[in-house]
Amino acid sequence: MLQKFVNYPSVGGTESPLLGIAEDVAATRDLLSKVLDGKKEVLSLYHLYSGVVGNCSVERIKEGKEWGVKLAVYMTAFMIPKGKSLLDMLGGQLLPCMNLQEEETTGMKSMIKEVEFNDMPDEKAAVFMDQISQYSASMFATPSTFEPWVNGIDCAYIFRTKDKGLPLPIQRQMPQQPGPGPARWSLKAGHCPYMVISNQALEALRKTADWTKGGLEIYI
């Protein structure tokens, strides 16, 4: 299995105006186009904000009958309707752990450990806390432009039951969009399961790739 990752231009920027969703979408489409040029089947995995980027990125992507973006997996990601923004899904308010300063947003240091790394040992969490970057505030107000789940792309949603960054009641709102119901899976994990229970997270992805529709919810 070929794995590719996208580095978002909106993260860690220092020059004003900060880059935003448009640039993140362009970077993602560029990578997708290169992979799809090789006639590959693609499983796209989105985490949190990247759900919006992922929605927009697959719009107008060239695909064939036997290749293309076959499955979009939202791992506690924003699976939001066309025309809606992150702020809309958050009720017009940033989460308490977010600190807005002019055009950039950062996580509040006093809350990051409990919110994002609550299921991780302190020493390990400290390493990742030092790597957290600021990101463009514009990403919260920019609306999504596409809905993969009503445009022929199978979708799945992975809940994280211990996540304090995006609490479970908010997660539950995401896969309620019109169209074919996404497959649903639940991990007993916090905000970053790929750092804490990576084997279980990978198993959830593998099972999701094998079975995508039906409305059944599986706990791992």
Side-chain angles (χ1 to χ4, degrees):
M1 180 185 295
L2 179 66
Q3 299 180 25
K4 295 287 186 179
F5 302 90
V6 182
N7 292 317
Y8 288 159
S10 66
V11 178
T14 57
E15 295 185 8
S16 182
L18 296 177
L19 304 180
I21 286 183
E23 289 77 18
D24 292 344
V25 169
T28 306
R29 279 183 177 162
D30 181 62
L31 178 60
L32 274 176
S33 295
K34 291 176 180 176
V35 173
L36 293 177
D37 280 346
K39 304 295 190 292
K40 303 289 187 181
E41 288 190 348
V42 174
L43 182 157
S44 291
L45 174 63
Y46 311 132
H47 175 244
L48 211 64
Y49 155 73
S50 67
V52 184
V53 178
N55 287 352
C56 303
S57 298
V58 296
E59 185 178 8
R60 297 189 299 275
I61 284 288
K62 182 179 180 181
E63 299 181 340
K65 291 183 178 179
E66 304 300 328
W67 53 275
V69 180
K70 297 301 183 182
L71 176 63
V73 181
Y74 297 78
M75 183 180 283
T76 311
F78 282 91
M79 188 179 186
I80 64 178
K82 179 180 178 180
K84 295 292 185 179
S85 69
L86 297 183
L87 271 181
D88 291 327
M89 298 302 289
L90 294 174
Q93 299 276 342
L94 293 178
L95 294 172
C97 61
M98 297 175 180
N99 182 28
L100 177 63
Q101 295 181 338
E102 297 182 354
E103 61 177 317
E104 72 175 37
T105 308
T106 57
M108 295 184 66
K109 291 184 178 181
S110 60
M111 301 179 69
I112 288 298
K113 170 62 172 71
E114 181 61 22
V115 169
E116 296 194 10
F117 307 114
N118 58 304
D119 59 345
M120 190 180 295
D122 289 346
E123 290 185 3
K124 186 175 182 179
V127 174
F128 293 115
M129 288 172 65
D130 287 340
Q131 299 176 27
I132 293 177
S133 300
Q134 75 279 6
Y135 40 93
S136 173
S138 68
M139 66 174 62
F140 291 96
T142 305
S144 179
T145 62
F146 192 67
E147 297 173 326
W149 49 91
V150 293
N151 286 280
I153 297 177
D154 286 336
C155 295
Y157 203 95
I158 298 177
F159 300 107
R160 297 191 297 247
T161 61
K162 299 179 182 179
D163 194 330
K164 294 186 178 181
L166 194 67
L168 191 58
I170 298 179
Q171 296 177 44
R172 291 287 184 187
Q173 299 175 31
M174 302 299 172
Q176 305 299 326
Q177 314 309 329
R184 295 171 172 85
W185 307 83
S186 287
L187 289 172
K188 296 177 181 178
H191 196 67
C192 303
Y194 38 82
M195 297 178 181
V196 181
I197 56 168
S198 56
N199 288 339
Q200 291 95 317
L202 181 58
E203 182 66 13
L205 287 176
R206 285 174 174 163
K207 289 184 176 181
T208 302
D210 291 335
W211 181 90
T212 58
K213 292 181 179 178
L216 179 66
E217 184 165 323
I218 303 297
Y219 286 80
I220 295 178

